[in-house]
Amino acid sequence: MYTIQSLYAFEILDSRGRPTIKAGCVLQNGIVGEASAPSGASTGSAEALELRDGDPMRYGGLGCRKAVAHVNHQINQAVQQRAFHSQSELDQFLIELDGSPNKANLGANAILSVSLAFARAAAQQNQQPLYAYFNQLLPHKRNASTLTLPRPTINLFSGGKHAGGQIAIQDVLIVPTAARSMDECMAVTYAVYQAAAKLTHQKYGARALTADEGGLAPPFQSVDEMLGDAVDAIVSAGYAPGQEVALAIDIASTHFYDNEIYHLGSEQLDGTAMIKQIAAWLDRYPIISVEDGLAEDDWRHWPQLCAAIGHRTLVLGDDLLCTNPMRIRRAIAERAATALLLKVNQIGTLTEAAEACTLAQDTGWHVTVSARSGETEDHWLADLAVGWSGTQIKVGSITQSERLAKYNRLLEIETHTHLPIVQWPK
């Protein structure tokens, strides 16, 4: 049992300089847990509502004072001196307190920050590492000796909303498929990233800008150029493309989809043509994961995409699924995906995210646990990926502290526990 003495929250700045929320949960025994809520830029329409102030004179309307006030007043008053037997009991209380279908009243950022802070405090009361506490939130708990580290998919090149739209698709990531540890994954990534930075400097005549998540963002003229440069960087670093280091792509198709047409650069493609284009990229490049290959509302074509490429790559749903159990159930029924991109703030509480994770895993899907473009130095996501047996983790590149905090936490867990890393393919 966990008795809450009080809650508190305040604004902090995320990795893009925009406000987000940090909350604290003080238990009656004096234990304090704190956690920060991330924020997305490339967001799906079905995501829980991130409450912003809307005051154009302060942070361009992006302030979070309203959400902070909800934690400090309404939520705090409702939970003070209240005992909760579990995380799910606390989260359900918050959901009912909000009373809206998308957490619009209190704000998903307010609710999530409390859900996470409570988890940190509860783990401390139980005298267990956070990943072990997270593991207990799943119905199919795993023995500590059978937990694994997720394999990282790491941003190399970025476009789309993460980089100002110089190229339509959002990210090209590298996956160190042959690496046998997290430590080795980081060393491989460093080599490929440095090779890519050198290559883009030589090819484009200037140091490439970096995007929200740390990926390099040179002025690519086409998706093929972006993917080709990624392969060249892998080779330049001394690795075999597809054998030692593969590629993953986040197409984020919703952002260039309009009136049932995909506006991919100068091309205008219907759903069938877009599937053919993705298949053509798979023919030419060592791609093992395709995220949001189609738009979030193009349900008619997602099963066709899955049938066309699902036997040779992950068909990963982000905006399509929004970590929402209802949408995941539909995708399972329609065979529209083979993997879930799990973002806790898309749904708003740990308990609902755990349900989404369980649905995906029980179906045999891979689960990629993902950070957001607006992140903080908080590293709870690394523990979540371990505790929930994520097959992959998607944090960003290796050049910014809010990304490195998660990678460093994974290295710390590896050092202390000697957990093995997930093998690819699983």
Side-chain angles (χ1 to χ4, degrees), residues 64-368:
C64 293
R65 284 177 170 174
K66 290 180 181 178
V68 165
H70 288 159
V71 176
N72 288 329
H73 300 292
Q74 291 99 313
I75 301 176
N76 181 41
Q77 291 167 8
V79 302
Q80 274 186 334
Q81 306 307 316
R82 190 180 185 98
F84 295 93
H85 291 87
S86 65
Q87 182 77 42
S88 60
E89 187 178 331
L90 177 277
D91 288 342
Q92 188 59 41
F93 182 87
L94 295 174
I95 292 167
E96 292 173 2
L97 185 66
D98 174 84
S100 72
N102 64 344
K103 301 177 179 63
N105 291 329
L106 297 174
N109 41 355
I111 291 171
L112 178 60
S113 65
V114 172
S115 181
L116 289 166
F118 177 86
R120 270 238 170 83
Q124 290 180 57
Q125 179 171 305
N126 296 346
Q127 297 184 320
Q128 61 187 157
L130 189 56
Y131 62 81
Y133 175 83
F134 283 146
N135 179 244
Q136 293 176 352
L137 304 185
L138 298 181
H140 52 282
K141 305 175 187 69
R142 298 183 65 181
N143 185 285
S145 64
T146 63
L147 292 175
T148 53
L149 297 167
R151 188 163 294 271
T153 62
I154 304 161
N155 290 42
L156 185 65
F157 294 132
S158 293
K161 283 201 169 185
H162 287 175
Q166 90 284 21
I167 193 78
I169 75 169
Q170 191 154 275
D171 293 304
V172 172
L173 310 96
I174 60 170
V175 188
T177 50
R180 294 163 293 182
S181 67
M182 188 61 61
D183 175 70
E184 189 177 345
C185 283
M186 294 296 100
V188 170
T189 299
Y190 175 85
V192 176
Y193 189 94
Q194 293 303 316
K198 182 178 180 180
L199 181 152
T200 55
H201 177 74
Q202 293 171 342
K203 185 172 181 179
Y204 300 101
R207 182 176 177 179
L209 298 174
T210 55
D212 284 351
E213 298 180 358
L216 298 164
F220 298 115
Q221 296 301 305
S222 68
V223 175
D224 279 287
E225 185 176 36
M226 192 179 192
L227 291 164
D229 283 358
V231 171
D232 288 347
I234 293 169
V235 172
S236 179
Y239 298 103
Q243 298 175 37
E244 295 175 295
V245 182
L247 300 179
I249 55 174
D250 178 3
I251 299 177
S253 289
T254 298
H255 301 302
F256 54 88
Y257 179 72
D258 183 55
N259 198 26
E260 299 187 357
I261 296 294
Y262 294 90
H263 300 269
L264 186 64
S266 61
E267 296 183 272
Q268 297 187 25
L269 309 173
D270 63 12
T272 300
M274 187 67 193
I275 292 169
K276 289 180 180 178
Q277 176 61 79
I278 294 169
W281 289 331
L282 295 182
D283 290 339
R284 292 195 291 272
Y285 307 103
I287 298 168
I288 58 175
S289 178
V290 175
E291 178 183 338
D292 278 353
L294 298 174
E296 62 183 280
D297 293 325
D298 193 6
W299 283 96
R300 181 165 65 95
H301 289 105
W302 272 93
Q304 296 176 30
L305 174 68
C306 207
I309 68 171
H311 60 289
R312 53 178 174 157
T313 185
L314 296 184
V315 181
L316 185 58
D318 176 17
D319 292 345
L320 175 75
L321 304 173
C322 282
T323 316
N324 186 309
M326 289 181 59
R327 294 178 73 91
I328 293 168
R329 289 188 182 94
R330 178 178 177 182
I332 291 169
E334 297 184 17
R335 298 184 179 180
T338 65
L340 165 68
L341 194 80
L342 187 146
K343 296 173 176 175
V344 181
N345 79 324
Q346 285 183 325
I347 192 67
T349 67
L350 283 166
T351 299
E352 292 165 294
E355 181 186 356
C357 182
T358 300
L359 277 171
Q361 291 176 335
D362 285 352
T363 305
W365 286 9
H366 282 231
V367 172
T368 298

